[in-house]
Amino acid sequence: MLLITNNEKFLESEEFLTSNKIELKFLDNKDYIGVLEYSRNLIHEGYELLTHPLYGSVKPNETIYRTLILKAGKELDFNSLSLIEDAIETANKFKKNKITPLWTESVKDDFRVIDYDLMSKTIYRILN
């Protein structure tokens, strides 16, 4: 299982850093859409989405953090490709309508916690 994120909260978790079931790919130089595009490239290489790219109730133009879980596959998964392409299109549409604000560090931390909490619970469900 591959966890792709730009949320540094995952780097603070020994559980994710030392797990032999999860490979962590931290994208410190990517924004929300960058994480989606990176994941799309992996899907073209045969990976499959295990989580929906637009999970949660935070709009794509409100947060800068995104985390996705993929697994290695054997061929192009068209369902995953369709989901990620639609997510990129939706995120771009939201961004054009209203640019992501320059949040304070405190607000950014709130978004990191929301993303981390949602995805850690999802990971536990996938693994158990």
Side-chain angles (χ1 to χ4, degrees):
M1 189 165 47
L2 177 61
L3 185 138
I4 301 168
T5 188
N6 64 347
N7 182 350
E8 59 263 21
K9 202 93 170 141
F10 285 95
L11 296 177
E12 300 167 6
S13 172
E14 283 295 316
E15 188 171 2
F16 290 110
L17 293 175
T18 59
S19 172
N20 61 354
K21 296 179 181 179
I22 302 166
E23 179 186 345
L24 175 66
K25 177 63 178 173
F26 179 65
L27 305 175
D28 62 341
N29 59 347
K30 300 283 186 191
D31 63 0
Y32 187 107
I33 294 173
V35 172
L36 296 178
E37 291 172 339
Y38 184 91
S39 299
R40 178 194 54 204
N41 295 343
L42 289 175
I43 290 168
H44 278 287
E45 294 175 16
Y47 279 80
E48 297 174 38
L49 281 170
L50 294 181
T51 56
H52 195 285
L54 296 176
Y55 64 86
S57 60
V58 180
K59 294 179 183 139
N61 62 331
E62 293 176 340
T63 184
I64 57 175
Y65 301 105
R66 185 66 355 179
T67 301
L68 294 175
I69 303 170
L70 292 90
K71 71 174 184 175
K74 294 182 177 27
E75 57 189 37
L76 178 62
D77 180 65
F78 288 100
N79 185 46
S80 294
L81 183 60
S82 177
L83 281 171
I84 200 74
E85 290 289 357
D86 288 348
I88 292 168
E89 184 179 328
T90 298
N92 280 319
K93 181 178 72 173
F94 271 95
K95 199 168 188 173
K96 284 179 187 173
N97 290 338
K98 185 177 179 188
I99 295 174
T100 305
L102 296 174
W103 297 115
T104 64
E105 196 56 38
S106 172
V107 173
K108 286 180 184 179
D109 192 50
D110 288 344
F111 284 128
R112 284 190 289 268
V113 168
I114 291 167
D115 178 66
Y116 180 84
D117 188 55
L118 285 170
M119 293 314 293
S120 359
K121 288 178 181 173
T122 301
I123 290 166
Y124 292 127
R125 276 187 250 128
I126 290 170
L127 293 178
N128 295 318

